[in-house]
Amino acid sequence: MATTAIQDITSRIQGITDVTSMIAAAVEEQSAATNVISQSTGGTAGVSRQVSQDLTRTANVSSEIAQNIAQVAVAAASTFSASGKTKESADKLSQLAGDLFGLVGRFKV
């Protein structure tokens, strides 16, 4: 159940990462087009340059978001692994408690 949930989360994160990458690529293309327009239009060059810079910043932020999502996926996998180890330890402790209970039950006062 937990494995399926982690896999589902990882799959959804990958989908988000893919969409973010596509957005970043489209923003890059838009930035290039804006630069061409800026060069051919004298009166709007300053505004176009600002838009281009803003689009580039947006692409950079989108890339950072994709990286952060990937880090969350790694952390989720690590947490899942740790939870499995915790369960193993709890199972061993339960077995030891049962063994101890059996040993104490042998003593009669």
Side-chain angles (χ1 to χ4, degrees):
M1 180 188 277
T3 302
T4 303
I6 293 294
Q7 290 172 342
D8 186 43
I9 290 169
T10 301
S11 175
R12 289 175 192 258
I13 288 171
Q14 184 59 47
I16 291 169
T17 300
D18 293 345
V19 169
T20 302
S21 295
M22 288 188 293
I23 290 170
V27 167
E28 293 280 341
E29 290 178 16
Q30 181 65 39
S31 179
T34 301
N35 284 333
V36 170
I37 292 169
S38 175
Q39 292 170 359
S40 65
T41 309
T44 60
V47 173
S48 294
R49 209 172 297 114
Q50 182 62 46
V51 169
S52 176
Q53 290 170 354
D54 291 346
L55 289 172
T56 299
R57 274 181 270 192
T58 301
N60 291 338
V61 169
S62 293
S63 178
E64 288 177 26
I65 290 170
Q67 291 172 357
N68 290 340
I69 289 171
Q71 290 172 351
V72 168
V74 169
S78 177
T79 300
F80 176 72
S81 175
S83 69
K85 291 177 183 176
T86 300
K87 183 185 180 315
E88 288 176 22
S89 295
D91 290 343
K92 288 178 184 177
L93 183 58
S94 176
Q95 179 64 41
L96 288 172
D99 293 347
L100 181 60
F101 184 76
L103 290 172
V104 169
R106 289 183 186 172
F107 289 100
K108 305 259 182 199
V109 181

